[in-house]
Amino acid sequence: MPAPESPRPLRVRVSPAAERAIRSGHPWVYSDSIRDQNREGATGDLGVIFDRRDRFLALGLWDADSPLRIRILHAGSPTPIDDAFWRTRLETALARRSGMFGPDTTGYRCLYGESDGWPGLVLDRYGDTLVLKTYTAAWLPRLGTIIALLRDRLAPARLVLRFSRNTKAAAEAAGFQDGANAWAAGEDDRVPFLENGLTFEAEVIRGQKTGFFLDQRDNRQRLERRTRGADVLNVFSYTGGFSLYAARGGARSVTDLDISAHALAQARRNFACNAGIPAVASARHEQIQEDAFEWLAAASKPRFDVLVLDPPSLARRESERAEALVAYGRLAGSGLRWLRPGGLLLAASCSAHVSAPEFFTAVRTAASRRGGSFRELETTGHPADHAATFAEAAYLKAIFLQWEPGSGRSR
Ligand code: SAH
């Protein structure tokens, strides 16, 4: 249960290693790094960290229920955490994004957690709608302040609140409902917005994350340049992000493969939203509702020119890392059996616990086993509105491999 701000500051000392990490800008302090504290902390308290010589080091949001005990808000010299502080934080993040998007992109991330100085909080924009999502209950006592600030500065038509699974109960106890409007015009789950001129509907109440995978925008655009005349298979297609770009790029056919009937239905809606674009209208759109791992492994014959593999996170914790690497390799291996010689593979991973180099190695190894030679077109990371300032925040990576025409054996 989040407590209201206590009048007695919570003073904390941390291990030497944690001190060093904080000084070098790392935003997390784990519970086992905490050496002593002057009182019990309640979730939502501001924890003030002092170094061994009793000098101010940093302050941050205390989460009593998470091993990630303090999320640093500010390090260096003491500063009040007041309205002006939050306003400056918001302005800084907005300034970073100024000029990033033209009128044909109205869906993007405005605040990306720790990397924008808002630890455990994201703010996404979909047209006139803002979606605020928190990943720690430590935000609950200050949510009113943040909502007022966003309303004042950004004047959206609607602000939707989302809470990660582990914070929903605390949010409810504090009077907030997951998916409810902080203020409103509109109750619709589906909110249209533009991404590079394509229309999509974000599912802001029930959808994953804040309703759409905005982080794949640049990779979708890269894919679009390589789909002319192609038969495209989009595995883990969700609501058809990659599929629509592939269709606009001139694909002959686009096949969505996902386990979720709901996601596939939304993908059909998104195709309908863009039926005015001739290339989209003329691409044959098909869908397969299956478990992708099973469906791909039961391969018959190569019949796609472009393959997109963008699975959900396969390693939710560090202990699953090794297993996830094997799974990524297997997925690429079985996926590639559906690819025609000369085809293109785009493989992505959103597992923070799997590093980019090890993921790329897993995919390259699977490609080399397929036979023929693969040219590496590019590897990519985070888009500019999701810029990551520390290693743990850099979860997204993708690799584009082109099978050299004529070098392949089909097996
Ligand atoms: N590529 C998408 C995002 C993928 S999210 C985009 O650009 O928007 C992951 C998707 O994988 C979800 O839609 C989920 O329904 C689907 N999924 C999860 N497990 C699956 C499985 N075993 N087989 C097929 N789809 C699965």
Side-chain angles (χ1 to χ4, degrees), residues 208 212-213 215-216 220 234-242 257-260 263 290-294 308-313:
Q208 297 192 36
F212 195 74
F213 288 86
D215 53 2
Q216 290 287 21
R220 294 183 186 123
N234 181 11
V235 187
F236 308 100
S237 50
Y238 192 48
T239 56
F242 282 104
L257 172 53
D258 201 284
I259 202 163
S260 158
E290 291 283 355
D291 179 293
F293 298 94
E294 288 174 14
V308 179
L309 295 176
D310 181 26
S313 175

Side-chain angles (χ1 to χ4, degrees), residues 38-53:
N38 64 332
R39 63 168 172 83
E40 278 295 295
T43 297
D45 281 350
L46 278 182
V48 186
I49 305 167
F50 293 88
D51 71 6
R52 277 160 291 177
R53 290 196 228 148

Side-chain angles (χ1 to χ4, degrees), residues 251-381:
R252 179 169 57 186
S253 73
V254 181
T255 303
D256 302 334
L257 172 53
D258 201 284
I259 202 163
S260 158
H262 181 81
L264 290 169
Q266 184 56 48
R268 291 195 296 277
R269 287 181 62 94
N270 286 336
F271 265 83
C273 289
N274 295 281
I277 300 170
V280 173
S282 62
R284 198 170 72 239
H285 183 212
E286 293 175 359
Q287 297 192 314
I288 300 168
Q289 189 196 341
E290 291 283 355
D291 179 293
F293 298 94
E294 288 174 14
W295 192 87
L296 289 174
S300 56
K301 66 177 172 90
R303 59 179 178 91
F304 297 101
D305 308 296
V306 173
L307 176 68
V308 179
L309 295 176
D310 181 26
S313 175
L314 300 183
R316 302 212 176 261
R317 51 188 69 88
E318 177 58 30
S319 60
E320 294 171 353
R321 195 181 125 256
E323 221 175 297
L325 274 170
V326 173
Y328 281 120
R330 263 202 211 121
L331 191 60
S334 55
L336 282 166
R337 298 201 316 210
W338 291 88
L339 199 66
R340 293 182 182 127
L344 173 82
L345 168 68
L346 159 50
S349 160
C350 62
S351 306
H353 295 291
V354 171
S355 76
E358 59 192 2
F359 172 67
F360 296 150
T361 299
V363 178
R364 287 179 194 125
T365 304
S368 68
R369 292 204 179 118
R370 180 70 180 84
S373 60
F374 282 80
R375 194 159 59 94
E376 197 158 311
L377 301 179
E378 58 186 322
T379 54
T380 67

Side-chain angles (χ1 to χ4, degrees), residues 137 145 154 189 204 236 332 344 360:
T145 305
L154 296 168
D189 190 13
V204 295
F236 308 100
L344 173 82
F360 296 150

